[in-house]
Amino acid sequence: MARPGTTRVIAQTTWGLRRNGTEIHAKGLGKFHRRMRPHPVNGDQVCLLCFGKLGLVPPSLTMSFAPGLNVPFRIRTAEKNRVEKLLEDACIKLSVVASDIFGVSGRKVMAALIAGERDPSVLAQLARSRMRTKITELEEAFTGLFDDHHAFLLARIDGIDADIAAVDEQIEAELAPFAGAAERLDEIPGVAPVAAAIILSEIGVDMSRFPTAGHLCSWAKFSPGISISAGKSKGNGSTGHGNRYLARVLGEAAVVAGRTDTFLGERYRRLARRRGKTRAIVAVGRSILVIVWHLLQDPEARFRDLGADHFSRRTNPDTTKRNHVRQLEALGYTVTLTTAA
């Protein structure tokens, strides 16, 4: 595609492209510049070239399969749901006895079922740890109508696990040059190694193309839209549609962070109470993206959690006391404050 000596290629898609000492810039044309593109037959390419000259098309990484990692994960989740329904169809009531049918005991039992074992007493003896206290209940749960058809369908989830393991190995190989950056991102609450790989594959490690963290958030469409006309705000503050892979992983990271006892977790809970969970997810996702920009912009920077009590520590006690007194007085009460012993 590129002549020898070419150092920069701008393409509308990365399908079929290989990197060989050449910086590949790729961008899909969407709603952002539909109105701006010219009318000739090759208008998309002309518009894309103009954006490339202005530096608005960031280089893509050779990790295009990283966003696709979500696909086998979603398939495996769907298959796990089908497995539970499949066992119910065969009158195997494992989910009634075990809280997680895909734990150590559950996987051993399912492997035995796939191998052809049907004796409830033998299957019950495969239980491990705390499940061994429920041998009688397990024998009753394994008394069903499991046949070869159910075994064939049950074996599908193992094939999906093998596909995910193969993708994991390939991602680790491709991520090796960016291992330091991925390790720093992994310190952020809610960002796991897979999420760090997807974030790096979408925004890269060179933050020079984003002068500030706000520029990165704006590019990712994690900045609220503000439309004001004649002094009146219009619209619903929607951020718009950005990179769907990046938006998905930031949303998942925000939800996970909301369950932690950290600054991001407390920020999520405070916003969810006042504005709702959807807005809280977007706000915390933006906070994560700001942290990502700072960590990638300075290779020496490390993540340091501010703590779940960050907001309470910054609150002025006198202001809090005055606000509560005013609220009680507005309800018709006379307030007298006495210092506790």
Side-chain angles (χ1 to χ4, degrees), residues 12-270:
Q12 186 171 343
T13 178
T14 55
W15 289 106
L17 297 182
R18 299 292 180 184
R19 185 189 296 260
N20 184 19
T22 302
E23 187 180 25
I24 299 176
H25 293 244
K27 179 73 175 180
L29 293 174
K31 295 181 180 179
F32 175 67
H33 56 276
R34 262 182 202 162
R35 297 182 181 179
M36 298 176 61
R37 65 185 184 185
H39 293 288
V41 177
N42 294 326
D44 287 349
Q45 290 81 358
V46 173
C47 187
L48 185 59
L49 182 60
C50 294
F51 284 137
K53 289 181 178 180
L54 294 174
L56 299 178
V57 183
S60 64
L61 296 175
T62 56
M63 294 167 58
S64 57
F65 52 83
L69 182 60
N70 285 325
V71 176
F73 271 117
R74 292 198 301 271
I75 295 176
R76 183 174 64 176
T77 302
E79 287 299 325
K80 283 185 176 181
N81 294 334
R82 292 193 186 98
V83 164
E84 186 172 358
K85 294 180 180 179
L86 181 69
L87 295 175
E88 293 287 341
D89 179 71
C91 295
I92 302 296
K93 305 296 184 179
L94 179 59
S95 59
V96 176
V97 182
S99 59
D100 181 14
I101 65 174
F102 293 96
V104 176
S105 301
R107 293 308 297 261
K108 286 183 175 294
V109 168
M110 285 188 279
L113 288 171
I114 294 173
E117 183 60 58
R118 300 292 183 269
D119 189 351
S121 60
V122 175
L123 294 173
Q125 291 301 322
L126 296 175
R128 293 291 180 269
S129 185
R130 291 178 296 179
M131 287 291 293
R132 295 200 62 82
T133 62
K134 305 177 181 179
I135 297 296
T136 304
E137 292 88 340
L138 287 172
E139 290 180 355
E140 296 178 359
F142 293 142
T143 303
L145 304 173
F146 196 90
D147 55 22
D148 294 339
H149 171 68
H150 296 101
F152 171 76
L153 297 177
L154 194 60
R156 292 182 56 190
I157 192 170
D158 292 328
I160 297 174
D161 287 336
D163 292 341
I164 293 177
V167 174
D168 282 338
E169 293 179 1
Q170 186 67 21
I171 284 183
E172 289 180 2
E174 293 287 343
L175 196 61
F178 315 102
E183 182 181 356
R184 295 198 302 275
L185 297 188
D186 190 23
E187 298 175 356
I188 304 174
V191 178
V194 173
I198 295 176
I199 292 173
L200 289 176
S201 69
E202 295 303 323
I203 67 175
V205 295
D206 182 12
M207 293 295 101
S208 61
R209 64 179 62 90
F210 301 114
T212 65
H215 285 77
L216 174 59
C217 295
S218 179
W219 172 82
K221 293 296 188 292
F222 266 75
S223 297
I226 300 176
S227 177
I228 300 178
S229 178
K232 295 182 179 180
S233 298
K234 300 190 176 186
N236 55 7
S238 174
T239 61
H241 300 284
N243 187 307
R244 58 178 178 175
Y245 301 113
L246 184 60
R248 181 185 296 119
V249 72
L250 289 176
E252 293 174 355
V255 172
V256 174
R259 301 169 184 161
T260 61
D261 189 25
T262 61
F263 167 78
L264 291 176
E266 183 62 20
R267 174 171 168 76
Y268 174 87
R269 291 186 287 272
R270 287 167 61 94

Side-chain angles (χ1 to χ4, degrees), residues 258 260 262-281 283-284 308 311-312:
T260 61
T262 61
F263 167 78
L264 291 176
E266 183 62 20
R267 174 171 168 76
Y268 174 87
R269 291 186 287 272
R270 287 167 61 94
L271 290 172
R273 286 194 296 267
R274 294 187 294 109
R275 305 298 301 277
K277 294 183 179 180
T278 302
R279 292 180 182 271
I281 289 174
V284 175
F311 296 101
S312 59

